[in-house]
Amino acid sequence: NAGVTQTPKFQVLKTGQSMTLQCAQDMNHEYMSWYRQDPGMGLRLIHYSVGAGITDQGEVPNGYNVSRSTTEDFPLRLLSAAPSQTSVYFCASSYGALGLEQFFGPGTRLTVL
Amino acid sequence: AQTVTQSQPEMSVQEAETVTLSCTYDTSESDYYLFWYKQPPSRQMILVIRQEAYKQQNATENRFSVNFQKAAKSFSLKISDSQLGDAAMYFCAYRWGATNKLIFGTGTLLAVQP
């Protein structure tokens, strides 16, 4: 049982490049979400999904796309990276939308030059 | 809008002593949950303790306990018998009943002095 996994752990992009941050969980969790962590700002919700085929926006969705074709995977796409997207990105999952504990992945540190 | 405030950017405690981290929140909801997460230098987010708003009894997990003051919208974390491994960033988080979206505070960096 690997829990929540994220790849890559580190990434450097140039402004305007696109990339996909991968997130997978093997706990059969329905609910998955993406957060970004910036210094002095805590974690903020980007997008979330309550099940395969269902996604919705969080607090800071601009510049990011998501899709949920399977229960296990919830990739986050940066369409055209900007320096303001330099951050640490966390994926989380829980059993159902009311699952009381969210399990977090190890995070991806992204730098946009 | 719901907000979570942690007014102590940094705290320090001596090993074996007790420290209390503060958190206040603002909400008009009656059904909600509160959490404390620990983030050590490894960056991993670890759930420390949670409190259901409908429960009057304060949650306790080993050396960690909370002081939940619902009327004051205050949710502080007390760490007893502090250990070197407790050194980390601590985040207070809020979630309202019908959703699993977490709102985080800005964190408190706890240092433990030997």
Side-chain angles (χ1 to χ4, degrees), chain A residues 37 94 97-98 100 102 104 107, chain B residues 35 39 43-44 97 100 102:
Chain A
Q37 181 180 15
S94 66
L98 299 182
L100 287 179
Q102 289 201 46
F104 283 82
Chain B
F35 306 84
Q39 186 180 43
R43 207 167 62 196
Q44 183 68 48
N100 211 346
L102 290 171

Side-chain angles (χ1 to χ4, degrees), chain A:
Chain A
N1 192 331
V4 180
T5 59
Q6 291 183 237
T7 55
K9 286 187 168 51
F10 301 94
Q11 183 70 49
V12 178
L13 292 178
K14 295 181 179 179
T15 297
Q17 287 184 316
S18 63
M19 80 158 296
T20 300
L21 306 185
Q22 301 292 345
C23 174
Q25 51 88 13
D26 60 359
M27 298 173 282
N28 201 31
H29 284 171
E30 296 174 354
Y31 187 92
M32 297 184 73
S33 54
W34 278 101
Y35 292 86
R36 61 177 287 174
Q37 181 180 15
D38 301 298
M41 298 189 73
L43 281 75
R44 292 180 293 167
L45 182 64
I46 304 171
H47 284 286
Y48 66 98
S49 169
V50 299
I54 306 170
T55 64
D56 204 348
Q57 296 180 351
E59 183 184 357
V60 288
N62 292 341
Y64 307 95
N65 274 0
V66 293
S67 60
R68 183 97 179 268
S69 57
T70 67
T71 300
E72 295 77 19
D73 301 298
F74 190 43
L76 179 72
R77 298 182 186 85
L78 282 70
L79 305 176
S80 178
S84 61
Q85 294 178 304
T86 294
S87 189
V88 179
Y89 291 85
F90 288 95
C91 180
S93 74
S94 66
Y95 183 68
L98 299 182
L100 287 179
E101 180 171 359
Q102 289 201 46
F103 295 83
F104 283 82
T108 294
R109 180 176 292 278
L110 176 67
T111 300
V112 183
L113 303 175

Side-chain angles (χ1 to χ4, degrees), chain B residues 8-25:
Chain B
Q8 306 155 315
E10 297 182 10
M11 293 280 286
S12 182
V13 63
Q14 292 291 128
E15 198 174 2
E17 296 295 308
T18 295
V19 64
T20 298
L21 309 184
S22 300
C23 173
T24 59
Y25 59 95

